[in-house]
Amino acid sequence: MPPRKPRATTVQSETRAVPKSELTRARILDAAATVLSRKGFAGMRLTDVAEVAELQAPAIYYYFDSREHLVEEVMWAGLAEMREHLVKVLAALPDGTDPLEKILVAVEAHLRHELEISAYTTASIRNAGQLPEHVRKRQAAEEVKYGKVWRSLMTDAYEEGSIRQDLDLYMAQMLVLGSLNWAAEWWTPRRGSIDKVVANAQNFVRGALTPD
């Protein structure tokens, strides 16, 4: 997997004086997101996280009482940050933007956050089906919130007649999100630029949703 940009809360932040303990905790989370996105839940070891974070493994337990607690935090953050990103991108669109265009903008926002911006989101998407149920609770709640944003986009487009009226909106939404999420499994820079992935995805979604 290619490297992702650091989060605003990591050691890279220069916007405020951050306590050392907060910086260390963020560094551990960043490292865990990187390891999870590459090796998955089953393959993630705290020694790997410690190596990436440049810490001794026992130090992790000062900030997280278990491996599962650390994983839970990363998985939740991945979806929460992607939802915030999508909401911000949509809010910046001009008034009167066509509902189908909003969906295509959402396609780009999702893919860029998943593949380019955040290892947290990559980790969350790639490991969603691997976690024990009790570890997934926070992530599952965030999935519902994220799904509501997309449901609103699909409903608006349907009611405006911008997408096909024979579609089951739930199925259409799940098929679109499923295909976007799968990009985390197959995409590497060798397969083409992210710009090309976004353009192909938008054309794919437009063709699937647009009335004949």
Side-chain angles (χ1 to χ4, degrees):
M1 277 288 180
R4 302 295 197 275
K5 296 177 182 177
R7 301 163 75 210
T9 53
T10 66
V11 293
Q12 307 294 329
S13 177
E14 298 178 357
T15 58
R16 64 186 177 91
V18 183
K20 183 178 179 181
S21 61
E22 188 174 330
L23 290 173
T24 303
R25 187 178 191 277
R27 199 161 84 233
I28 293 169
L29 283 167
D30 286 351
T34 298
V35 174
L36 266 176
S37 68
R38 293 173 179 172
K39 295 189 175 184
F41 176 70
M44 182 188 124
R45 299 179 303 171
L46 289 184
T47 52
D48 297 328
V49 175
E51 181 178 354
V52 174
E54 299 180 343
L55 296 168
Q56 295 297 316
I60 294 174
Y61 288 104
Y62 180 80
Y63 299 92
F64 301 93
D65 55 21
S66 68
R67 173 178 176 271
E68 291 186 345
H69 179 201
L70 175 58
V71 170
E72 179 191 43
E73 185 74 15
V74 170
M75 296 289 286
W76 169 81
L79 285 184
E81 291 178 2
M82 184 161 66
R83 177 173 59 85
E84 292 172 2
H85 175 70
L86 175 57
V87 169
K88 185 181 296 184
V89 168
L90 292 172
L93 293 175
D95 292 340
T97 299
D98 180 77
L100 177 59
E101 182 61 28
K102 288 184 178 180
I103 292 175
L104 299 181
V105 168
V107 166
E108 177 171 10
H110 184 106
L111 283 171
R112 290 198 182 278
H113 210 272
E114 170 189 0
L115 301 178
E116 182 178 45
I117 295 175
S118 175
Y120 287 75
T121 302
T122 308
S124 186
I125 289 172
R126 296 193 73 195
N127 292 280
Q130 300 183 32
L131 304 184
E133 192 60 34
H134 66 280
V135 180
R136 280 206 73 231
K137 285 184 178 179
R138 286 180 74 199
Q139 184 201 22
E142 193 57 45
E143 283 177 356
V144 172
K145 294 179 183 178
Y146 189 67
K148 286 181 178 178
V149 178
W150 275 87
R151 184 158 61 251
S152 177
L153 293 172
M154 299 290 286
T155 300
D156 288 349
Y158 183 86
E159 292 177 350
E160 288 288 330
S162 298
I163 62 176
R164 291 168 48 175
Q165 300 296 292
D166 61 333
L167 293 173
D168 180 297
L169 292 186
Y170 174 77
M171 291 184 182
Q173 175 180 323
M174 297 306 291
L175 287 167
V176 169
L177 288 176
S179 64
L180 298 181
N181 287 342
W182 189 247
E185 298 293 341
W186 62 261
W187 180 78
T188 69
R190 296 191 304 274
R191 294 184 180 272
S193 69
I194 291 178
D195 289 345
K196 189 173 182 179
V197 175
V198 168
N200 275 269
Q202 288 177 324
N203 286 334
F204 173 77
V205 171
R206 183 188 290 109
L209 300 183
T210 302
D212 293 335

